[in-house]
Amino acid sequence: MEALNRSSAMSSHQEDLDLLLSLQDRVLETPPGSPSNSHSLSPGYLSDDGSPRTRRRGQVDMSVFKDVVEDCLDYELKPVEKNDKLKSSKKSKVADFEKFSGLRIRSQLLSPAELSDYFSDIRFVRLPTIKNVIAGETLSGCWATIGILYEKGDPKTSSIGKKYSIWKMGCLNNDVISLFMFGDAYQQNWNEQLGTVFGLFNCSVRKDSMGSGFSLSVCSASQILKIGISVDFGICEGKRKDGTRCTSAVNKYVTCSSYIYF
């Protein structure tokens, strides 16, 4: 019995040896070397039918796989939007600072080039600095400024029966200036909303009887130019000590309180 088992084991080893010797001509001892370039082919392991398999370096073509699994997908593949497009989209929504007034303006009715044409041949004075350049009761020569509509007073009637209104103008700092709106200037702009940005041309300047304050006045439609809407203008939602609502204008760009937006 032992001899029979030994004979069977030797027969099994002989079969394994014969199988190994039969594969020597079909299997390479070492993996094939790297091709000299990305387009060259190098021999690899032999296929089952004896034909040499080749291995190509480079990107694998997955189009065949895509066609096979296409019917198995239960949703539609959508391309992912690139980050640079998202950044440019966000950036386009942010208004730039207008170079003359230093304000951020949205819904602009004039391009920067058109606005520059209006102020190119005229002296531009920012609203807070007018009091520093007043000579006597007015400014000499042709001049212009830009301000935001803070508040509109109720319509009034002059001694000659003409309607007018007193607006409060500012530029998002602590200075508030009164603007008297007469004639065509009032008739064409009385219904404008708070936060609207206006260009003012050759306004009449009147110093206050006391202190260093002053007021402006316009009577012609050509003296006032609507530019757009202030991005950073807001109205404080707080309450005064007497319980009434605060109506002060605030600069949303530099504060974190809550506001009504226009």
Side-chain angles (χ1 to χ4, degrees):
M1 186 67 175
E2 182 178 355
L4 179 62
N5 292 337
R6 186 164 48 247
S7 175
S8 176
M10 291 178 63
S11 176
S12 177
H13 290 318
Q14 183 63 37
E15 290 177 359
D16 292 341
L17 179 60
D18 292 341
L19 178 61
L20 179 62
L21 292 175
S22 68
L23 294 176
Q24 286 182 350
D25 295 333
R26 299 180 63 188
V27 181
L28 298 179
E29 292 183 357
T30 58
S34 301
S36 58
N37 56 62
S38 60
H39 299 288
S40 64
L41 301 178
S42 60
Y45 297 102
L46 299 179
S47 64
D48 293 338
D49 60 0
S51 60
R53 290 186 180 178
T54 57
R55 184 172 62 180
R56 184 186 302 271
R57 299 183 67 183
Q59 186 174 4
V60 179
D61 185 5
M62 298 296 290
S63 60
V64 177
F65 174 77
K66 179 182 177 183
D67 295 338
V68 172
V69 302
E70 184 174 7
D71 295 335
C72 301
L73 298 177
D74 57 355
Y75 59 90
E76 182 180 357
L77 295 177
K78 295 182 180 180
V80 178
E81 188 174 3
K82 293 183 178 180
N83 290 334
D84 55 351
K85 290 184 179 180
L86 291 173
K87 290 180 181 179
S88 62
S89 177
K90 292 180 180 179
K91 186 177 180 180
S92 64
K93 296 180 181 180
V94 180
D96 293 328
F97 288 92
E98 194 276 315
K99 68 177 183 178
F100 289 97
S101 63
L103 301 173
R104 294 199 302 164
I105 305 173
R106 61 179 171 87
S107 304
Q108 291 195 44
L109 302 178
L110 300 170
S111 68
E114 291 172 329
L115 200 57
S116 294
D117 289 340
Y118 272 95
F119 300 129
S120 60
D121 297 325
I122 195 170
R123 181 185 183 186
F124 185 85
V125 184
R126 286 196 175 185
L127 207 59
T129 62
I130 291 178
K131 60 185 177 182
N132 299 329
V133 294
I134 293 177
E137 293 295 326
T138 187
L139 284 171
S140 58
C142 296
W143 67 281
T145 191
I146 291 178
I148 303 170
L149 175 55
Y150 280 9
E151 182 183 334
K152 294 191 298 183
D154 294 331
K156 302 178 182 295
T157 303
S158 67
S159 58
I160 58 175
K162 298 291 185 179
K163 286 187 176 182
Y164 71 97
S165 180
I166 303 175
W167 287 5
K168 299 296 184 182
M169 305 287 290
C171 57
L172 301 180
N173 65 355
N174 295 325
D175 295 324
V176 179
I177 297 170
S178 296
L179 174 68
F180 287 78
M181 299 282 292
F182 297 107
D184 293 339
Y186 168 77
Q187 293 296 332
Q188 294 190 20
N189 298 282
W190 67 272
N191 201 31
E192 293 293 349
Q193 66 176 354
L194 303 185
T196 303
V197 181
F198 291 97
L200 304 174
F201 298 85
N202 299 321
C203 299
S204 297
V205 182
R206 183 178 63 183
K207 282 186 175 182
D208 294 343
S209 57
M210 297 181 62
S212 58
F214 64 95
S215 61
L216 304 176
S217 63
V218 292
C219 59
S220 172
S222 62
Q223 290 180 278
I224 184 168
L225 174 69
K226 183 178 178 179
I227 297 174
I229 306 297
S230 171
V231 174
D232 302 310
F233 172 80
I235 297 294
C236 176
E237 285 191 335
K239 291 185 178 181
R240 299 187 178 96
K241 292 181 179 180
D242 59 2
T244 59
R245 178 185 167 187
C246 177
T247 58
S248 299
V250 291
N251 186 347
K252 298 184 298 186
Y253 187 76
V254 295
T255 186
C256 299
S257 300
S258 57
Y259 308 107
I260 297 175
Y261 298 112
F262 295 87

